[in-house]
Amino acid sequence: AQSVTQLDSQVPVFEEAPVELRCNYSSSVSVYLFWYVQYPNQGLQLLLKYLSGSTLVKGINGFEAEFNKSQTSFHLRKPSVHISDTAEYFCAVTATGGGNKLTFGTGTQLKVEL
Amino acid sequence: AAGVIQSPRHLIKEKRETATLKCYPIPRHDTVYWYQQGPGQDPQFLISFYEKMQSDKGSIPDRFSAQQFSDYHSELNMSSLELGDSALYFCASSLGGYSGNTIYFGEGSWLTVV
């Protein structure tokens, strides 16, 4: 089984500042990693995913994440946030080579302030 | 582009009643997933179907059942509703049920049990 830990439940940041949302995972098998964003009263939208290859993954809206196998981490970063980035961000994992069941972390609420 | 369509978007039921949620996947997608997200919680996987057959099962209560029809739409049936069933229910779809395939989420159906 897999598990995901998002240590920060809330991250306040000023507009145009950089941000990092932390994600650590635990698994006895190889995994694929995902970041989803959920805007208020909306569904989940895929930001980016890591399957293989380069450990630095670029996604939509200027976000990127780096897979670190030794630290079992997949932190999400953005060099300059905008007020419209205010949302809940979920890190998720699924085991490779099998079904596509996602296990989510508890989410991080990013609040961008002026 | 067409997205995952869920209906109804909002539903209010009384305890012990039955509710049915419908999901229409993105055209040509053959895999459907159901997730439950309680207030302030992360989405929890309930069940998935690939080519109309159940492909994986998560923490779905015995009171719930689901199926995928010949046109690939899916329905989640919930009986003997309890207050704790109040949640946002997401349907999602993907092309192929293999690990790593991008999963696209609908906007969810809000179920309130009173």
Side-chain angles (χ1 to χ4, degrees), chain A residues 36 49 95 98 100-102 105, chain B residues 35 42 45 99-103:
Chain A
Y36 279 86
K49 65 180 181 181
N100 210 7
K101 176 177 68 175
L102 291 173
Chain B
Y35 284 81
D42 56 294
F45 172 75
S99 180
N101 288 5
T102 298
I103 298 176

Side-chain angles (χ1 to χ4, degrees), chain A residues 15-37:
Chain A
E15 194 172 31
E16 297 183 6
V19 70
E20 178 179 85
L21 306 183
R22 296 181 293 170
C23 172
N24 288 87
Y25 69 92
S26 174
S27 177
S28 56
V29 298
S30 296
V31 296
Y32 296 137
L33 294 151
F34 306 81
W35 275 99
Y36 279 86
V37 60

Side-chain angles (χ1 to χ4, degrees), chain B residues 29-103:
Chain B
H29 281 195
D30 50 17
T31 307
V32 168
Y33 313 81
W34 286 98
Y35 284 81
Q36 177 193 57
Q37 185 179 28
Q41 304 293 316
D42 56 294
Q44 294 288 321
F45 172 75
L46 293 179
I47 196 167
S48 63
F49 294 87
Y50 169 67
E51 283 290 345
K52 293 152 278 183
M53 298 288 289
Q54 181 181 308
S55 54
D56 205 345
K57 192 172 182 179
S59 51
I60 184 169
D62 292 340
R63 300 176 288 107
F64 292 11
S65 65
Q67 58 180 321
Q68 186 180 29
F69 295 86
S70 58
D71 64 350
Y72 295 99
H73 94 273
S74 178
E75 294 183 5
L76 177 66
N77 297 293
M78 300 173 284
S79 63
S80 303
L81 288 170
E82 302 173 356
L83 295 178
D85 295 328
S86 294
L88 180 60
Y89 289 83
F90 285 113
C91 177
S93 73
S94 67
L95 180 59
Y98 303 107
S99 180
N101 288 5
T102 298
I103 298 176

Side-chain angles (χ1 to χ4, degrees), chain A residues 2 14 25-27 45 50 57 60-61 64 74 81 83 91 93 95 104:
Chain A
Q2 296 76 47
F14 288 109
Y25 69 92
S26 174
S27 177
Q45 181 182 6
Y50 173 77
V57 181
I60 63 171
N61 301 340
E64 63 181 31
F74 191 54
V81 295
I83 195 84
C91 182
V93 64
F104 286 89

Side-chain angles (χ1 to χ4, degrees), chain A residues 7-105:
Chain A
L7 291 172
D8 305 305
S9 59
Q10 292 187 7
V11 173
V13 63
F14 288 109
E15 194 172 31
E16 297 183 6
V19 70
E20 178 179 85
L21 306 183
R22 296 181 293 170
C23 172
N24 288 87
Y25 69 92
S26 174
S27 177
S28 56
V29 298
S30 296
V31 296
Y32 296 137
L33 294 151
F34 306 81
W35 275 99
Y36 279 86
V37 60
Q38 185 177 29
Y39 298 102
N41 300 317
Q42 293 190 25
L44 296 158
Q45 181 182 6
L46 180 68
L47 278 177
L48 47 79
K49 65 180 181 181
Y50 173 77
L51 301 183
S52 64
S54 173
T55 57
L56 182 63
V57 181
K58 294 189 182 297
I60 63 171
N61 301 340
F63 284 93
E64 63 181 31
E66 186 153 21
F67 170 58
N68 188 319
K69 188 175 182 179
S70 63
Q71 296 187 2
T72 60
S73 67
F74 191 54
H75 301 331
L76 182 70
R77 303 185 185 99
K78 186 169 183 178
S80 176
V81 295
H82 189 267
I83 195 84
S84 60
D85 292 322
T86 295
E88 187 88 17
Y89 291 79
F90 290 95
C91 182
V93 64
T94 185
T96 64
N100 210 7
K101 176 177 68 175
L102 291 173
T103 299
F104 286 89

